[in-house]
Amino acid sequence: MRRRHRHRLLRPLVAFAAVTGIFATATPDADSTPLEGTSAASATTTVFYYTKTKNWPATYLHYAPDGGSWTTAPGVRMETACTDWVKETVDLGSAAGLQATFSNGSGTWDNNGGTNYALGTGTVTVKDGVVAHSDPCADTGTGTGNQATVYYSTATSGWSTANLHYAPTGGSWTTVPGVGMESACTGWWKRTVDLGTATTLQAAFNNGNGVWDNNNGGDYALGSGTTTVKDRTVTAGVGDPCAAQAPDTQAPTTPTGVTASATGTSVVVSWKPATDDTAVTKYQLTRTGGTEGTVVTDVGSTVWSDTGLAEKTTYTYTVKAVDAAGNTSPASSAAPVTTGEKAPAPAAGTPLGTDPRKDPIYFVLTARFYDGDTSNDRGGSQDVTSGNAANNDPMFRGDFKGLVDKLDYIKALGFSAVWITPVVLNRSDYDYHGYHGYDFYKVDPRLESAGASYQDLINAAHAKDMKIYQDVVYNHSSRWGAKGLFTPTVYGVRDTQWSWYYDEKNAGFDYDGLTVEPKSGKSYYNGDLWSTAEPSGNTCLNWGKPTGGKSPEGYTLYNCQWPSPTSGMFPKAYYHQCWIGNWEGEDSRSCWLHEDLADFNTENATVQNYLIGAYDKYIDMGVDGFRVDTAVHIPRVTWNRRFLPAIHDRVTQRFGADAAKNFFVFGEVGAFVNDKWNRGSVNHSAQFFTWKERKEYSADDEKAAIEQYDYEEQLGTGNQPTSANAFLNGNSYHTPDRSQFSGMNIIDMRMHMNFGDAQNAYNNGKDSDDSVNDATYNVVYVDSHDYGPNKSSTRYSGGTDAWAENMALMWTFRGIPTLYYGSEIEFQKGKQIDCGPTCPLAGTGRAYYGDHLAGGVTASDFGTVASASGEVATTLAQPPVKHLQRLNRIRRAIPALQSGQYSTDGITGSMAFKRRYTSGSTDSFALVTVTGGATYTGIPNGTYTDAVTGDVKTVSGGTLSVAAPGKGNLRVYVLNGPGKIGADGPYLK
């Protein structure tokens, strides 16, 4: 779904909205709360405003005390306080704060992102959008006594301002929060203070808004002279940390341990890291041999994958280390290698083409599952800021080779289908998940390796009778558009502020996600897109000029700095032009969901053809189905007219009608509520997307989308089609009527939202089944890469017994059971699923799983381990895994549990039902109770055997009673059944 993500909002500030200078009412923030020791009735506030950034000839304060009236615009003129600062003292009366904004008195305003400043009492500073509490003009350190010059580093804390709260030894403390420090250089703040006759001082630091550096509970002890404080380390007498440093003339050490290994015509070169007195910034890899001559490549890591070489040719590699000053080490020892024959491209696969209800699904984020090839690992621009670098955990870590290597693990769990995240080339600064598609016709090379392409994965899975379901996105591209359709040019300022965000300009570069920019040591992100020259025909206003605002980091913002729906950088024909306002309104299908998700105009024929052509490529490769991301954000009429028929027709053309019938398409319709119809809106309810249209609309797709929306909303929830396809007729299975099926099945959001408790999920799930074309195809899961139950932001943590109960329900009730990777061992339970680059992936629900898979594993069948060694053997021995394996074996042996219709008629019991599937010579009838006891009346007479215990019951009067098996347990009595399946475990016993 939308990668909700993940990123700081770098959206340009909105324009000032009111002639009077009053913004829409702002919610007071922490700054409007009086500081400790300040009374809410202190009567006055002295407001200091920083003028250097604005460079206005005069500054006016326009304000209103809380509960009072606004001054007449533009307000009162502020007086000079000290260099770069003006001030005004406001009488608040009994008010506890004020709302304020600032202007130059001539119509130019500080718009503060479209909201008023909420200011408290006492002394308040406003500097470049940051509110703090100190007097910037106090204590300038010009006395005749002893002085202390203090430098404080905020590089780690990320504070946008700093205050020094201090007391000379024997003297009094400054008033909280102390005196404001001045920016000295990037990451450093400075203040010189008078000590009088004292030679030392006690000190603490804060950000002016209540956040303190508490130095592990003790004040800092500082001396006179110059002192630096960085990461709680005090260093005296070191001089100015911002002073120009002596030139670096020391070269790094020579790289050692260089090895080169060949696979076909690809070579992987690796070496041990070099060291330097400052830091190694890159390596120079030199290749000689073949007809290409000498080739020098800059590499940001200690592994390089060299591909497309000549067959049976000897190449030699050497490596040099380079530091930031350009000092270069001697070349390493040479590593020769001889390539082999070029491996033939793998043949296109053929989908397995069987009933998808037979195949439980294992869902993986490919980049986070298992790392089979370290040479394609990439951290991206957020590697350090996210904390991933400190954990040696690049966002792009797992790959297809790792997935191929561990298919037997997935098979040993009992799964016969693998749902993988999108495979197309992505483009954003944090795009490991795959939902920021850029080149929809190219597989992301950060996932592929020699001998482990996407085609190799599909073929390897099919060889094990396992399906591959590819996650696909039709709703949006990356922020940078879609290659081959439209890519915007943006304005970039690669100064010290934005060098982390904008790569160095490289006009001849073709973005591939893998190539590393030499100077930054990171993968290229946007260096081929930005320009300092305004393109002809541009419609983005004030191109490249400062907006007057700052980013959350305090960086200068520029107009047209990055693409957005309202920036004028995207053509209306291909992309929608608005931000979403109402998630359950029509605009949710015609506006951007997020700044990194540029919303396709899917009603445009060119866009439709672009997407259809792209996904035809993957159909041709033999994938077995598509999981459709953000399906609800495209009108159903567009799905039914264009995309779903195109999928069906392509599969039919390539592989035949039977394959098309079982090509499994299941959509994510994000209806995150507990009612049957999503807030009463049929257009935004999951089951709505399983139906064909009931009337004709305009030939124009854009008009048709509006017509359909209005028509269905007016019909309302009571006039929607219903279906008996999931329900038994008494005890009899009946042929389902699929004539009105749209071609899209759905993820069961209703059950998902209610899986905090299995009983609740069961009750809510079956309540919606009459409105789904055929609920036996619903994809059912407890949590995912987006949400846990009840729209929780954390992975499910209800306990092992509850997990066992959830799985017992999912594996026996209608629908297709699906498990998010790692849930088989309660991996990362209770952890936040996604926090973007604001925290390390290792601490989230998207953590790397490979450590649990180290070692070897071979599956002899689905749910059966032939051999396992190393850590993966420990993983497979966990109690939830044993439970899962047996559930999969039971489900696989009983057709009624896979494809059967169900009924609760004549049954007493909380989670108890009967299921039947009849086809040809197959007639499978099962009685299921999850957790509680149950009595079944009016059932066929005969011999029933429990697949869990092997217990046999003979029914002669149409009634069968079952005692409660207990939480996490289960009873499955099958008419003329196969008997006990598998051995007793921690739950199924």
Side-chain angles (χ1 to χ4, degrees):
M1 195 170 173
R2 28 195 182 283
R3 293 327 108 195
R4 285 169 273 256
H5 346 236
R6 318 153 282 259
H7 303 339
R8 55 173 60 88
L9 289 176
L10 295 171
R11 186 178 305 165
L13 297 174
V14 299
F16 186 67
V19 175
T20 63
I22 305 172
F23 291 97
T25 301
T27 302
D29 59 15
D31 296 324
S32 64
T33 303
L35 291 167
E36 181 180 356
T38 303
S39 169
S42 58
T44 62
T45 291
T46 300
V47 180
F48 287 85
Y49 187 76
Y50 185 70
T51 62
K52 187 174 182 179
T53 305
K54 302 294 185 183
N55 199 29
W56 289 340
T59 305
Y60 287 76
L61 171 65
H62 183 38
Y63 70 92
D66 293 349
S69 301
W70 284 85
T71 55
T72 301
V76 296
R77 182 165 181 168
M78 305 180 74
E79 64 182 76
T80 299
C82 56
T83 303
D84 298 330
W85 290 92
V86 293
K87 72 175 183 177
E88 180 66 26
T89 300
V90 176
D91 185 353
L92 297 178
S94 60
L98 68 153
Q99 300 287 306
T101 186
F102 303 87
S103 78
N104 67 352
S106 303
T108 301
W109 293 83
D110 174 351
N111 67 9
N112 190 35
T115 60
N116 303 315
Y117 287 99
L119 309 179
T121 56
T123 300
V124 180
T125 63
V126 180
K127 181 178 180 180
D128 297 336
V130 177
V131 177
H133 300 268
S134 63
D135 183 348
C137 302
D139 190 0
T140 57
T142 57
T144 57
N146 297 322
Q147 291 186 334
T149 299
V150 181
Y151 287 88
Y152 181 73
S153 171
T154 57
T156 301
S157 68
W159 289 351
S160 55
T161 187
N163 289 270
L164 170 64
H165 180 44
Y166 73 96
T169 301
S172 300
W173 283 87
T174 54
T175 302
V176 173
V179 295
M181 304 183 77
E182 293 295 324
S183 177
C185 58
T186 302
W188 285 97
W189 299 78
K190 172 186 177 181
R191 189 76 191 201
T192 299
V193 297
D194 290 327
L195 301 180
T197 59
T199 58
T200 59
L201 69 154
Q202 299 292 107
F205 302 90
N206 63 84
N207 71 348
N209 290 301
V211 178
W212 290 81
D213 173 355
N214 64 8
N215 191 31
N216 296 319
D219 296 324
Y220 287 99
L222 310 178
S224 58
T226 300
T227 304
T228 64
V229 180
K230 181 177 182 180
D231 296 333
R232 298 193 174 95
T233 298
V234 176
T235 307
V238 294
D240 183 354
C242 299
Q245 301 295 315
D248 178 9
T249 59
Q250 181 174 330
T253 61
T254 303
T256 60
V258 181
T259 62
S261 60
T263 302
T265 55
S266 296
V267 171
V268 174
V269 186
S270 63
W271 56 93
K272 294 180 181 179
T275 60
D276 187 60
D277 59 329
T278 55
V280 174
T281 57
K282 67 177 180 180
Y283 295 90
Q284 286 182 350
L285 180 78
T286 300
R287 183 189 76 208
T288 57
T291 60
E292 302 91 343
T294 300
V295 177
V296 179
T297 304
D298 288 330
V299 182
S301 65
T302 58
V303 179
W304 179 251
S305 181
D306 207 0
T307 60
L309 301 174
E311 295 182 293
K312 300 179 180 179
T313 301
T314 298
Y315 293 93
T316 300
Y317 295 86
T318 58
V319 184
K320 297 178 181 179
V322 184
D323 65 17
N327 299 308
T328 304
S329 75
S332 69
S333 299
V337 64
T338 302
T339 57
E341 294 182 354
K342 183 177 181 181
T350 301
L352 297 183
T354 53
D355 187 337
R357 294 173 295 182
K358 295 181 179 181
D359 302 301
I361 302 170
Y362 191 73
F363 171 36
V364 302
L365 271 72
T366 307
R368 308 302 300 157
F369 185 62
Y370 189 74
D371 194 0
D373 177 5
T374 58
S375 70
N376 57 14
D377 293 358
R378 291 295 183 272
S381 67
Q382 301 292 328
D383 196 34
V384 173
T385 57
S386 65
N388 291 337
N391 294 328
N392 192 28
D393 184 30
M395 60 171 183
F396 262 98
R397 189 171 180 182
D399 44 42
F400 294 145
K401 188 175 189 304
L403 198 46
V404 169
D405 289 347
K406 298 305 175 183
L407 283 175
D408 264 39
Y409 168 77
I410 298 172
K411 186 170 184 175
L413 295 177
F415 293 96
S416 49
V418 186
W419 157 18
I420 60 173
T421 39
V423 305
V424 304
L425 176 60
N426 265 231
R427 187 164 195 165
S428 82
D429 52 349
Y430 213 57
D431 56 0
Y432 64 94
H433 42 69
Y435 297 96
H436 297 165
Y438 173 70
D439 189 344
F440 286 69
Y441 287 76
K442 180 182 177 67
V443 175
D444 201 310
R446 290 169 289 189
L447 299 175
E448 294 196 299
S449 308
S453 65
Y454 185 36
Q455 187 69 70
D456 289 319
L457 169 64
I458 295 168
N459 295 352
H462 288 172
K464 297 180 183 293
D465 291 323
M466 299 171 70
K467 295 179 178 179
I468 294 293
Y469 295 149
Q470 178 179 330
D471 211 322
V472 295
V473 184
Y474 287 78
N475 175 67
H476 56 264
S477 70
S478 72
R479 177 195 295 173
W480 308 106
K483 184 179 180 182
L485 180 70
F486 178 78
T487 301
T489 300
V490 299
Y491 176 82
V493 179
R494 196 177 191 275
D495 54 18
T496 56
Q497 298 179 95
W498 291 110
S499 60
W500 67 274
Y501 189 76
Y502 288 103
D503 306 321
E504 186 167 278
K505 179 68 174 176
N506 190 340
F509 176 68
D510 188 19
Y511 170 81
D512 62 4
L514 198 59
T515 301
V516 172
E517 183 199 24
K519 290 190 176 180
S520 70
K522 302 173 182 176
S523 297
Y524 272 108
Y525 173 37
N526 49 34
D528 56 325
L529 295 179
W530 65 263
S531 172
T532 55
E534 182 174 350
S536 60
N538 169 59
T539 60
C540 188
L541 300 177
N542 297 314
W543 177 273
K545 297 179 180 178
T547 66
K550 298 287 185 178
S551 75
E553 302 89 352
Y555 304 156
T556 300
L557 293 174
Y558 300 88
N559 286 298
C560 317
Q561 191 165 6
W562 44 77
S564 75
T566 56
S567 67
M569 297 184 190
F570 287 94
K572 185 176 182 180
Y574 297 160
Y575 285 90
H576 290 134
Q577 307 285 297
C578 51
W579 292 108
I580 190 172
N582 178 6
W583 288 91
E584 279 74 41
E586 195 283 326
D587 64 333
S588 73
R589 300 180 298 117
S590 57
C591 296
W592 287 37
L593 310 178
H594 186 272
E595 62 172 3
D596 270 338
L597 310 179
D599 199 82
F600 284 130
N601 178 5
T602 50
E603 289 69 66
N604 176 276
T606 302
V607 174
Q608 293 168 357
N609 291 335
Y610 175 84
L611 292 168
I612 290 169
Y615 291 124
D616 279 352
K617 168 182 176 176
Y618 305 106
I619 291 172
D620 293 350
M621 293 173 74
V623 296
D624 300 277
F626 288 158
R627 180 269 188 181
V628 182
D629 182 74
T630 50
V632 69
H633 300 293
I634 294 175
R636 186 182 77 175
V637 68
T638 305
W639 284 117
N640 287 348
R641 279 185 176 186
R642 309 301 176 197
F643 297 134
L644 294 172
I647 294 171
H648 182 273
D649 292 348
R650 187 69 171 195
V651 179
T652 302
Q653 173 192 349
R654 294 288 306 207
F655 306 111
D658 286 343
K661 175 184 175 183
N662 289 317
F663 187 89
F664 191 46
V665 178
F666 58 105
E668 177 207 33
V669 180
F672 301 104
V673 294
N674 293 333
D675 51 348
K676 180 174 181 177
W677 295 100
N678 184 32
R679 296 181 176 87
S681 171
V682 295
N683 284 286
H684 299 90
S685 300
Q687 60 268 38
F688 180 75
F689 284 78
T690 66
W691 296 94
K692 287 183 177 180
E693 301 308 325
R694 295 184 284 170
K695 70 182 298 288
E696 289 293 325
Y697 301 106
S698 298
D700 179 86
D701 285 351
E702 186 171 356
K703 292 180 180 177
I706 301 298
E707 290 171 359
Q708 182 220 46
Y709 183 90
D710 291 340
Y711 175 73
E712 295 291 354
E713 287 295 282
Q714 290 169 12
L715 284 179
T717 60
N719 294 294
Q720 294 302 308
T722 59
S723 169
N725 284 340
F727 308 118
L728 291 173
N729 184 2
N731 292 315
S732 299
Y733 179 86
H734 62 92
T735 302
D737 177 8
R738 304 274 281 173
S739 61
Q740 297 305 306
F741 175 52
S742 66
M744 182 185 291
N745 301 285
I746 54 170
I747 293 171
D748 198 323
M749 284 289 169
R750 188 98 187 269
M751 289 193 73
H752 166 50
M753 283 291 98
N754 288 280
F755 250 120
D757 174 75
Q759 179 71 61
N760 203 31
Y762 170 71
N763 291 339
N764 278 275
K766 66 179 184 173
D767 180 50
S768 301
D769 286 352
D770 62 345
S771 298
V772 181
N773 183 269
D774 191 342
T776 65
Y777 288 84
N778 283 11
V779 171
V780 182
Y781 58 61
V782 173
D783 60 3
S784 72
H785 59 323
D786 286 327
Y787 293 113
N790 297 312
K791 208 176 182 180
S792 165
S793 62
T794 59
R795 289 192 73 158
Y796 181 76
S797 58
T800 308
D801 289 354
W803 246 126
E805 182 180 47
N806 287 341
M807 287 193 283
L809 174 61
M810 288 194 293
W811 261 256
T812 56
F813 190 44
R814 59 95 187 117
I816 303 171
T818 301
L819 201 72
Y820 183 39
Y821 80 100
S823 288
E824 63 270 24
I825 61 168
E826 298 178 273
F827 180 61
Q828 299 296 92
K829 62 181 179 180
K831 297 293 182 65
Q832 185 175 354
I833 293 172
D834 173 31
C835 58
T838 63
C839 69
L841 281 166
T844 72
R846 298 177 177 181
Y848 176 65
Y849 191 55
D851 295 338
H852 296 277
L853 303 178
V857 57
T858 301
S860 56
D861 202 350
F862 292 102
T864 305
V865 179
S867 64
S869 62
E871 188 59 33
V872 70
T874 302
T875 300
L876 288 166
Q878 299 304 305
V881 172
K882 297 297 185 184
H883 180 60
L884 175 64
Q885 288 173 314
R886 196 171 180 209
L887 282 172
N888 268 319
R889 292 177 65 189
I890 290 171
R891 188 180 189 273
R892 184 168 292 275
I894 302 171
L897 301 184
Q898 302 167 25
S899 308
Q901 296 163 344
Y902 78 97
S903 174
T904 58
D905 293 343
I907 302 173
T908 61
S910 53
M911 285 186 285
F913 45 89
K914 55 188 176 183
R915 297 189 67 184
R916 191 168 204 159
Y917 177 71
T918 305
S919 177
S921 62
T922 299
D923 186 10
S924 177
F925 185 76
L927 307 174
V928 179
T929 183
V930 180
T931 306
T935 298
Y936 305 84
T937 61
I939 61 173
N941 293 329
T943 301
Y944 291 79
T945 305
D946 180 21
V948 177
T949 64
D951 179 53
V952 178
K953 292 183 183 294
T954 301
V955 175
S956 58
T959 299
L960 185 151
S961 294
V962 182
K967 192 165 187 174
N969 211 336
L970 180 71
R971 295 292 179 260
V972 184
Y973 281 87
V974 183
L975 181 61
N976 302 319
K980 182 176 180 177
I981 301 170
D984 289 351
Y987 293 101
L988 295 179
K989 55 188 177 180

